[in-house]
């Protein structure tokens, strides 16, 4: 497996894949940390509750950028082989399943590193802002876990599509459609089934911080943030879905004609 | 000649997954936007206009730019595969006509997408029993100007796809462009930035109001951008080793 991973690195060398991933993460950072709300009461609320506000707001940003990052990385890694018709050659040198796993691990490493980088950047941003409350480390570790696992699920799905379809438009469109449904599902809590069936929606499903009491008239006067509890059942379903997607994708790839 | 080239381009797209995406993609914002509208009906009081904002909320800033990016990347990839550029560029056709044909083909797809978005908007409104009269004139303007803004984005994306021979990277650039478009719109500069012209034309932020600068400057800006990017793209086709 080590050799295969090294091969993956060599194949992607000078193709700017890591640079692309960093670029998308940078855009996510700019988007997330750009403070558009200049109102005094909003700034004061942010200073008082900043760490918790981030936990409430950032799952939305994660659900936009990390699925897209997964689509791009999976597509670029698999397109290398499809474009050069290399799969026939490689699969005579190594078992198909191992190639599938190596590519998955390599791509997953890139995407998960970006998730961790964004998480670390969020903490640095919070410290620079000087939020008055103490840093809730346990909540942030759980937030990291609840971002890493949905990203891994989405990456597994995209990898399965990119490996099995020569045409890169198919995984792209599926990924974008899924991302769209996932994003909207965050605004439709009245449809819990939608939030549990669609893997892209899990960024919102696993969100555990809620904001209450905000109205146009009173604004932040009665606004407060409250812990909504952890949805461990949804977490379990997501892990089961990820394993299922991995197994189905790998089986189809191992059986298909190259 | 141009018409023949456009016909050839559309032939290349026959039975590609692009059409599936074109069919399915607008259904999701229509369905979920309508559900969101029904869920917040006490806040959203402007009936058809509020429904339009819900339908186009994320579509204009995230998904249509990505869709245009994918359309353009796909159309260029068809030529990159099997050294098709060599065959195409050795034909006795001027390079700018090839670029215009490709742009017209993407433009047609954007127009069809806009019509489909409009039809779904009317259907959703009728299904949930809207009482107010349908703002048909505004809807036609939103869709047509959205198409024009989309063609600007497409001309830029085609040029980028000529520079970057990758499927994924230009799509990532399209997403960043869409996001930058949102920033430019927020700063009241939506009418000058190529990536915000589609959202600006579709009036997704404030559909009740007509654009402050008026539509004539908008159309002129779009035509200028299209001309500049087409010239740039044709020049790249002329000079770059494909």
């Amino acid at each position: 497996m080590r050799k295969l991973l090294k091969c993956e690195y060599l194949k992607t060398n000078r193709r700017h894949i890591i640079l692309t991933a960093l670029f998308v993460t940078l855009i996510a950072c700019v988007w997330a940390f750009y403070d558009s709300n200049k109102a005094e009461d909003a700034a004061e609320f942010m200073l008082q509750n900043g760490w918790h506000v981030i936990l409430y707001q950032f799952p939305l940003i994660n659900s936009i950028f990390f699925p897209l990052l997964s689509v791009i990385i999976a597509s670029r890694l698999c397109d290398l082989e499809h474009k050069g018709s290399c799969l026939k050659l490689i699969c005579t040198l190594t078992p198909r399943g191992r190639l599938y796993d190596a590519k998955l691990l390599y791509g997953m490493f890139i995407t998960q590193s970006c998730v961790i980088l964004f998480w670390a950047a969020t903490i640095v941003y919070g410290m620079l802002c000087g939020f008055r409350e103490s840093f809730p480390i346990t909540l942030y570790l759980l937030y990291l876990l609840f971002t890493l696992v949905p990203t891994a699920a989405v990456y597994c799905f995209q990898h399965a599509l990119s490996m099995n379809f020569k045409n890169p438009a198919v995984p792209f469109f599926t990924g974008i459609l899924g991302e769209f449904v996932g994003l909207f599902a965050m605004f439709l809590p009245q449809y819990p089934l939608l939030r549990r069936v669609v893997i892209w929606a899990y960024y919102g499903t696993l969100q555990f911080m809620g904001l209450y009491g905000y109205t146009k008239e009173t604004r932040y006067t009665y606004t407060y943030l409250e812990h909504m509890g952890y949805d461990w059942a949804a977490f379990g379903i997501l892990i089961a879905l990820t394993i299922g997607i991995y197994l189905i994708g790998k089986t189809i790839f191992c059986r298909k004609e190259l | 000649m141009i018409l023949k080239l456009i016909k050839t381009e559309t032939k290349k797209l026959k039975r590609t997954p692009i059409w599936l995406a074109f069919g399915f993609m607008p259904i999701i914002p229509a369905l979920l936007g309508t559900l969101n509208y029904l869920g917040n009906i006490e806040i959203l009081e402007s009936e058809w206009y509020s429904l339009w904002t819900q339908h186009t909320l994320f579509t204009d800033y995230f998904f249509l730019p990505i869709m245009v990016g994918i359309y353009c990347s796909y159309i260029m990839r068809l030529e990159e595969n099997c050294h098709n550029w060599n065959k195409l560029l050795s034909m006795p056709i001027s390079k700018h006509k090839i670029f215009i044909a490709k742009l017209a083909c993407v433009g047609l797809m954007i127009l069809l997408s806009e019509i489909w978005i409009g039809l779904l908007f009317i259907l959703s409104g009728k299904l949930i029993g809207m009482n107010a009269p349908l703002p048909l004139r505004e809807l036609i303007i939103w869709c047509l100007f959205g198409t024009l803004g989309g063609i600007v984005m497409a001309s830029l994306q085609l040029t980028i796809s000529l520079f970057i021979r990758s499927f994924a990277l230009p799509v990532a650039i399209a997403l960043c462009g869409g996001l930058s478009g949102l920033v430019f719109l927020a700063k009241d500069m939506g009418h000058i930035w190529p990536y915000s012209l589609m959202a600006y034309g579709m009036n997704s932020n404030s559909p009740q109001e007509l654009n402050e600068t008026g539509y004539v400057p908008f159309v002129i800006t779009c035509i200028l951008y299209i001309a500049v990017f087409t010239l740039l793209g044709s020049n790249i086709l002329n000079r770059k080793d494909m």
Side-chain angles (χ1 to χ4, degrees), chain A residues 16-167:
Chain A
H16 311 306
I17 289 186
I18 293 171
L19 205 65
T20 310
L22 288 175
F23 176 66
V24 175
T25 314
L26 180 74
I27 297 293
C29 287
V30 172
W31 186 256
F33 305 147
Y34 175 72
D35 189 13
S36 59
N37 199 343
K38 301 252 183 322
E40 204 176 298
D41 56 347
E44 180 58 28
F45 184 77
M46 191 69 187
L47 270 179
Q48 284 287 355
N49 309 283
W51 291 118
H52 288 83
V53 171
I54 286 176
L55 291 177
Y56 167 71
Q57 285 180 342
F58 278 28
L60 179 74
I61 293 161
N62 296 339
S63 76
I64 293 170
F65 286 97
F66 293 128
L68 190 85
L69 178 69
S70 302
V71 177
I72 292 169
I73 299 299
S75 171
R76 291 216 78 190
L77 287 180
C78 302
D79 205 32
L80 283 173
E81 316 296 356
H82 293 311
K83 223 175 176 182
S85 306
C86 302
L87 281 175
K88 260 191 187 20
L89 175 71
I90 298 171
C91 291
T92 55
L93 302 171
T94 186
R96 287 184 187 198
R98 288 189 71 189
L99 175 72
Y100 186 92
D101 289 345
K103 277 201 172 290
L104 179 67
L105 278 176
Y106 188 67
M108 193 89 91
F109 170 74
I110 296 173
T111 46
Q112 301 289 22
S113 303
C114 289
V115 172
I116 295 169
L117 194 68
F118 181 67
W119 178 79
T122 306
I123 294 171
V124 173
Y125 163 77
M127 285 174 173
L128 290 175
C129 284
F131 299 141
R132 287 183 199 136
E133 54 179 354
S134 58
F135 175 58
I137 179 84
T138 319
L139 293 183
Y140 268 74
L141 286 173
L142 280 164
Y143 160 70
L144 176 65
L145 178 71
F146 292 157
T147 313
L148 285 172
V149 177
T151 309
V154 173
Y155 189 81
C156 263
F157 181 79
Q158 291 302 144
H159 179 73
L161 286 183
S162 295
M163 285 298 273
N164 286 303
F165 284 95
K166 274 189 180 177
N167 190 337

Side-chain angles (χ1 to χ4, degrees), chain A residues 128-241:
Chain A
L128 290 175
C129 284
F131 299 141
R132 287 183 199 136
E133 54 179 354
S134 58
F135 175 58
I137 179 84
T138 319
L139 293 183
Y140 268 74
L141 286 173
L142 280 164
Y143 160 70
L144 176 65
L145 178 71
F146 292 157
T147 313
L148 285 172
V149 177
T151 309
V154 173
Y155 189 81
C156 263
F157 181 79
Q158 291 302 144
H159 179 73
L161 286 183
S162 295
M163 285 298 273
N164 286 303
F165 284 95
K166 274 189 180 177
N167 190 337
V170 177
F172 256 94
F173 280 128
T174 318
I176 300 306
L177 281 174
E179 187 178 335
F180 211 159
V181 176
L183 196 57
F184 261 104
M186 293 184 80
F187 295 91
L188 297 165
Q190 61 270 39
Y191 300 99
L193 187 67
L194 186 69
R195 292 164 72 105
R196 294 209 172 193
V197 171
V198 184
I199 50 170
W200 295 268
Y202 274 84
Y203 292 97
T205 311
L206 296 173
Q207 182 178 348
F208 50 80
M209 197 56 66
L211 186 128
Y212 304 93
Y214 181 89
T215 59
K216 261 185 187 174
E217 292 77 31
T218 59
R219 288 179 57 83
Y220 291 94
T221 317
Y222 305 111
T223 306
Y224 62 98
L225 290 138
E226 199 173 75
H227 199 292
M228 301 186 294
Y230 307 114
D231 196 345
W232 291 112
F235 187 72
I237 295 169
L238 180 63
I239 289 180
L241 281 172

Side-chain angles (χ1 to χ4, degrees), chain B residues 40-74:
Chain B
N40 299 290
I41 205 156
E42 65 281 0
I43 314 166
L44 303 166
E45 292 160 344
S46 309
E47 296 218 343
W48 286 104
Y49 297 104
S50 297
L51 186 67
W52 181 250
T53 57
Q54 295 309 300
H55 275 216
T56 54
L57 187 67
F58 290 111
T59 318
D60 279 355
Y61 307 119
F62 299 108
F63 297 99
L64 273 178
I66 295 174
M67 289 284 288
V68 172
I70 298 174
Y71 286 159
C72 296
S73 278
Y74 190 79

Side-chain angles (χ1 to χ4, degrees), chain B residues 103-174:
Chain B
L103 182 61
C105 193
V106 182
L108 183 72
M109 282 196 275
I110 298 170
L111 176 67
L112 290 173
S113 302
E114 292 281 352
I115 293 171
W116 186 215
I117 288 171
L119 286 175
L120 286 167
F121 169 68
I122 298 171
L123 191 70
S124 313
K126 294 284 175 201
L127 281 177
I128 58 172
M130 288 250 179
N131 296 321
L134 171 75
L136 192 64
R137 187 181 152 270
E138 280 99 329
L139 181 64
I140 293 169
I141 290 174
W142 297 332
C143 291
L144 284 179
F145 286 6
T147 307
L148 194 59
I151 295 172
V152 173
M153 202 186 287
S155 58
L156 178 55
Q157 280 299 131
L158 282 174
T159 311
I160 291 171
S161 290
L162 275 175
F163 264 119
I164 306 168
R165 288 188 183 189
S166 147
F167 188 89
L169 216 52
V171 182
I173 293 171

